[in-house]
């Protein structure tokens, strides 16, 4: 059984940079599914993080812009100090709403909007991280029929975030980064 | 229909009901943000579904008022993006100085912090007596806060740091009086600000304006409404008039990219071009 997915959303905080380098670096150059990421690690970033990834991985990496249409074969990063949301018409929106779990951008906000926009054609992955942002987001994705994945907490640099989602009972699959790479390259990118 | 599509339908019907019953038009707001606000309101209101809000919204104006406040965005601070204010001080105010009098508009001013910031800036640059500042929002409750100019003391530390970074020439404490857990902005700062109700989605131009602030408001609109509002701004600016947007906002997708010249690319200050 294969589902046609429209996007992959990823959230994490502490340890995410290393995890993303491994994950994104292992995906094939022609990986089609748009990858949209909220990380808490770059609150004062002005685009340097995208440059950092572009020097190291083959899929193009950009900072998401307000009302920009989401393209395939692209990795998008949430800009600092704004929430990143996905619109049902397949574009991005930014907003300045209050911080969620002390975070802006917030994983919950991205995941909730992505669930509302793409329903069961979404994959959400919660990776290494040190707080509970993302747990409500995973619940929303699940509620709208999306596929929810948590990084195996035992393999995560910081297990708090994926553990919280798993304990809440909203996670479909628990995978190590290697298993996630295998899943994405064989089951999704067809 | 899938659950997310049913929810989108409910939202669309609710927004249509609000528009037809009260004239507030949220139909061209960015769907993702409006969904988030409605969902939050729904949780606090203890109703079973978004569509269950519709009959109450139609028949109970006070219930609608609560929802309206829930849909309004009031996150703001003084001298947010201090370096934008620095740029304004250095590049825009000297230009305004060439006018005997000029007008400034804060479109979507929420609780007014940015209007007071500008009032401070004008006073320090000796331009205050020549300026009229219009600060508008559709949220009357936020406008009341703005008119009073009373803010919680806990934010003052942040505002004060911003003020210093923006190139402030005095001590920020010169501009307010403290009482209990609040501060009230000095009265002279309010004298040149006119707070008024204006809805960018439905109201039109009311005056010629030399400098428009509309920061982090357009991101809440869809592309069509963004375009409409930017055209409205273009209409009320004289040639060489200025427009300030939020740091992650742009004129992209508006069709007006060529009609403005960037004055500060990083802090999104634009100037209306003269006819070629």
């Amino acid at each position: 059984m294969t589902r046609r997915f429209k996007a992959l959303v990823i959230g994490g905080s502490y340890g995410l940079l290393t995890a993303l380098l491994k994950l994104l670096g292992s995906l094939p150059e022609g990986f089609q599914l748009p990858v949209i990421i909220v990380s808490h690690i770059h609150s004062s970033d002005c685009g340097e993080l995208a440059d950092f990834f572009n020097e190291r991985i083959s899929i193009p990496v950009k900072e998401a812009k307000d009302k920009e249409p989401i393209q395939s074969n692209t990795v998008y990063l949430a800009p600092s100090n704004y929430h990143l949301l996905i619109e049902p018409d397949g574009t991005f929106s930014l907003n300045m709403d209050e911080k969620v779990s002390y975070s802006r951008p917030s994983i919950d906000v991205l995941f909730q909007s992505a669930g509302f926009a793409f329903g069961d054609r979404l994959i959400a992955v919660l990776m290494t991280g040190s707080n509970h942002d993302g747990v409500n987001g995973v619940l929303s994705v699940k509620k709208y029929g999306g596929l929810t994945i948590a990084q195996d907490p035992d393999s995560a640099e910081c297990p708090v975030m994926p553990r919280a989602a798993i304990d809440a009972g909203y996670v479909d699959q628990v995978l190590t980064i290697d298993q996630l790479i295998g899943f994405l390259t064989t089951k999704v990118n067809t | 229909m899938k659950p997310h599509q049913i929810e989108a339908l409910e939202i669309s019907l609710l927004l249509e009901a609000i528009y037809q019953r009260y004239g507030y038009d949220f139909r061209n707001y960015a769907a993702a943000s409006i969904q988030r606000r409605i969902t939050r309101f729904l949780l606090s209101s203890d109703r079973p579904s978004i569509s269950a809000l519709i009959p109450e919204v139609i028949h109970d104006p006070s219930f609608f008022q609560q929802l309206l406040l829930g849909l309004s965005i009031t996150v703001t601070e003084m001298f947010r993006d201090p370096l934008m204010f620095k740029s304004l001080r250095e590049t825009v105010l000297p230009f305004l100085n060439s006018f005997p009098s000029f007008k400034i508009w804060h479109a979507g001013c929420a609780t007014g912090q940015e209007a007071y910031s500008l009032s401070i800036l004008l006073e320090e640059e000796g331009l205050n007596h020549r300026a009229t500042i219009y600060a508008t929002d559709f949220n009357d409750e936020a406008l009341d806060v703005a008119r009073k100019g009373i803010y919680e003391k806990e934010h003052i530390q942040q505002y004060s740091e911003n003020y210093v970074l923006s190139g402030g020439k005095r001590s920020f404490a010169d501009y307010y009086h403290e009482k209990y857990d609040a501060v009230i902005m000095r009265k002279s700062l309010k004298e040149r600000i006119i707070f008024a109700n204006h809805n960018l989605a439905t109201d039109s131009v009311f005056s010629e304006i030399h400098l428009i602030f509309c920061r982090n408001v357009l991101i809440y609109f869809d592309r069509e409404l963004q375009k409409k509002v930017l055209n409205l701004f273009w209409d009320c600016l004289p040639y060489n008039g200025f427009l300030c947007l939020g740091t992650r906002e742009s004129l992209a997708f508006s069709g007006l990219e060529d009609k403005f010249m960037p004055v500060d690319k990083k802090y999104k200050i634009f100037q209306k071009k003269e006819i070629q």
Side-chain angles (χ1 to χ4, degrees), chain B residues 59-78:
Chain B
H59 296 292
D60 180 355
S62 66
F63 184 75
F64 166 67
Q65 283 301 325
Q66 290 171 39
L67 173 60
L68 186 63
L69 292 178
L71 294 179
S72 164
I73 299 103
T74 55
V75 183
T76 180
E77 63 189 62
M78 289 210 193

Side-chain angles (χ1 to χ4, degrees), chain A residues 114-136:
Chain A
F116 176 63
F118 294 149
D120 59 354
R121 298 173 74 179
L122 178 76
I123 306 173
V125 181
L126 203 56
M127 299 185 77
T128 171
S130 53
N131 71 5
H132 286 197
D133 183 23
V135 176
N136 285 326

Side-chain angles (χ1 to χ4, degrees), chain A residues 45 63 66-67 69 79-80 82 85-88 93-98 100 109 115-120 144, chain B residues 2 4 7-8 11 30-33 35-37 40 75 80 216 219-223 226 246-248 253:
Chain A
D45 178 64
E63 207 172 68
D66 185 52
K67 304 299 166 311
S80 56
Y82 283 82
L85 298 91
I86 296 175
E87 295 289 332
S93 270
L94 300 179
N95 89 27
M96 259 290 168
D97 285 0
E98 302 81 357
V100 175
V109 173
F116 176 63
F118 294 149
D120 59 354
Y144 292 116
Chain B
K2 293 173 179 173
H4 69 291
E7 194 175 322
I11 291 172
S33 288
Q35 186 265 351
R36 186 162 182 268
R37 296 200 158 257
R40 210 164 58 167
V75 183
R80 174 192 272 174
N216 301 313
I219 43 177
Y220 288 93
F221 299 164
D222 73 7
R223 218 188 271 192
Q226 285 186 351
T247 52
R248 302 285 178 169
F253 317 120

Side-chain angles (χ1 to χ4, degrees), chain B residues 79 82 84-90 93 114-128 133 163 166-169 175 189 192 211 213:
Chain B
F79 293 98
M84 192 282 302
F85 281 91
K86 195 161 191 277
S87 180
L88 205 68
R89 201 189 275 265
E90 288 162 3
L93 295 194
E114 205 167 69
Y116 286 104
S117 306
L118 204 75
S119 192
I120 290 171
L121 204 64
L122 292 169
E123 185 172 308
E124 293 190 359
E125 298 302 317
L127 293 169
N128 44 342
I133 301 176
Y163 168 76
S166 78
K169 293 177 174 172
Y175 295 107
L189 295 172
R192 45 196 162 269
L211 166 60
F213 274 78

